[in-house]
Amino acid sequence: MNLNPMRNRFAMLAAPLLLALSACATPFNANVSRFQAELPAPAGQTFAVVPQDPRNAGGLEFAQYAGIVAAQLQKVGYVPAASAQTADLVVQFDYGVDRGRDRLRNNGFADPFWGPGWGPGWGGRWGGAWGPGWGGWGGWGPGWGPGWGGAWGGGWGGGVDVVTVFTSGIDMKIDRRADGKRLFEGKAEASSSSNRLPYLVPKLVEAMFTNFPGSNGETVRISIAPEKKKS
C-alpha cells in the first residue's frame, strides 16, 4: 500500500496549523507607567529594596525578586546599602498575577492579548484580583471587549480557541529615606497565557528598567519575550 499520498495530505494540513501555532509564540507586551520628581542621577547613592506588602517581609520569593530589582538598580549606578535604615533610597516593591479569564482567540495571526481597542482598558481591576496588599492600582477594564472584535478579522477559516489569559503586574516606589519624599513611582503590567510569577516578574522588572527612569508621566509599551513551552 502506498502511503505517500496520505503523508503528503497530512503535511499539507499540518503546515497551516504549525504556522498558526508559531503565531502564538509572538512576544506579549508590557504597559509601563512611570512618574518621577527629583530622582537623583546615580552618583553613589545607596538603596534598599523592601516589600510594599508587609506580608512579604522575610519571604524567600520576595527576596528572589528583590534581588532582581537590586541588580537592575546597580546596573544604572546605585549602590546596595547594608540595611533600609542606612540607605539613601528606600525602594518599595510589589508583584502579583490575577486568576485569569477565558478568552476566544483567532487561529490566525492576530495577537490574542493586544487587539485594536485595548488601550482604554488600562486602569481599574487590580485591587479585587490581588487582595489588599497590592493597593488597587490599574488593570484591564472596558477597553478589552472592543479589541476582540477587531482581532478576529481574518485567520484560518475563522476558527477560534478558548485560552486563559492572565494579567500580571509589578509596582515600584522610591522614597528618599532622610525625609520620606517620594521620588519615583512605576507600574508595569502584561497579559499572557502564563501565570508563573518566577517567569513574569523578571520580565516585568526588565520592562520597568528599560530606559529607566523614563520621562515623567509617560506610559510606554515594551515587548517581552514569551515563555518557552515544553514539548
Side-chain angles (χ1 to χ4, degrees):
M1 180 178 179
N2 185 3
L3 296 179
N4 285 335
M6 183 177 296
R7 289 173 180 169
N8 292 338
R9 187 176 305 132
F10 175 77
M12 293 176 63
L13 292 172
L17 177 60
L18 292 174
L19 194 57
L21 289 175
S22 67
C24 299
T26 55
F28 64 90
N29 296 306
N31 272 337
V32 180
S33 174
R34 294 180 284 209
F35 300 85
Q36 58 172 305
E38 301 179 25
L39 181 67
Q45 293 92 347
T46 60
F47 71 88
V49 182
V50 301
Q52 182 173 314
D53 183 350
R55 293 174 297 181
N56 289 329
L60 296 178
E61 183 181 25
F62 174 80
Q64 178 176 330
Y65 303 147
I68 296 170
V69 174
Q72 291 286 353
L73 287 165
Q74 288 179 265
K75 282 184 180 180
V76 298
Y78 295 106
V79 179
S83 69
Q85 289 70 37
T86 61
D88 298 318
L89 305 173
V90 177
V91 182
Q92 299 180 53
F93 184 70
D94 202 5
Y95 54 88
V97 62
D98 70 6
R99 298 180 182 90
R101 289 186 169 191
D102 288 339
R103 294 295 178 185
L104 295 177
R105 179 182 65 193
N106 188 348
N107 284 334
F109 296 103
D111 186 334
F113 308 133
W114 300 95
W118 171 265
W122 166 261
R125 298 184 63 98
W126 284 103
W130 288 7
W134 185 255
W137 66 277
W140 31 276
W144 182 278
W148 287 101
W152 290 3
W156 298 97
V160 294
D161 295 325
V162 178
V163 296
T164 302
V165 176
F166 300 93
T167 304
S168 55
I170 62 172
D171 188 7
M172 189 173 78
K173 298 178 175 68
I174 301 178
D175 297 335
R176 187 165 55 210
R177 184 188 60 82
D179 58 6
K181 181 178 177 59
R182 178 64 45 83
L183 305 178
F184 176 87
E185 292 181 354
K187 299 178 178 69
E189 72 167 12
S191 291
S192 72
S193 59
S194 175
N195 64 348
R196 294 181 58 251
L197 286 173
Y199 162 73
L200 293 165
V201 173
K203 293 296 185 181
L204 291 166
V205 172
E206 178 184 344
M208 176 73 75
F209 280 92
T210 299
N211 299 321
F212 181 85
S215 300
N216 184 45
E218 72 175 359
T219 297
V220 296
R221 183 174 295 179
I222 295 172
S223 179
I224 299 178
E227 183 176 22
K228 293 182 180 179
K229 301 295 184 181
K230 294 182 179 180
S231 59

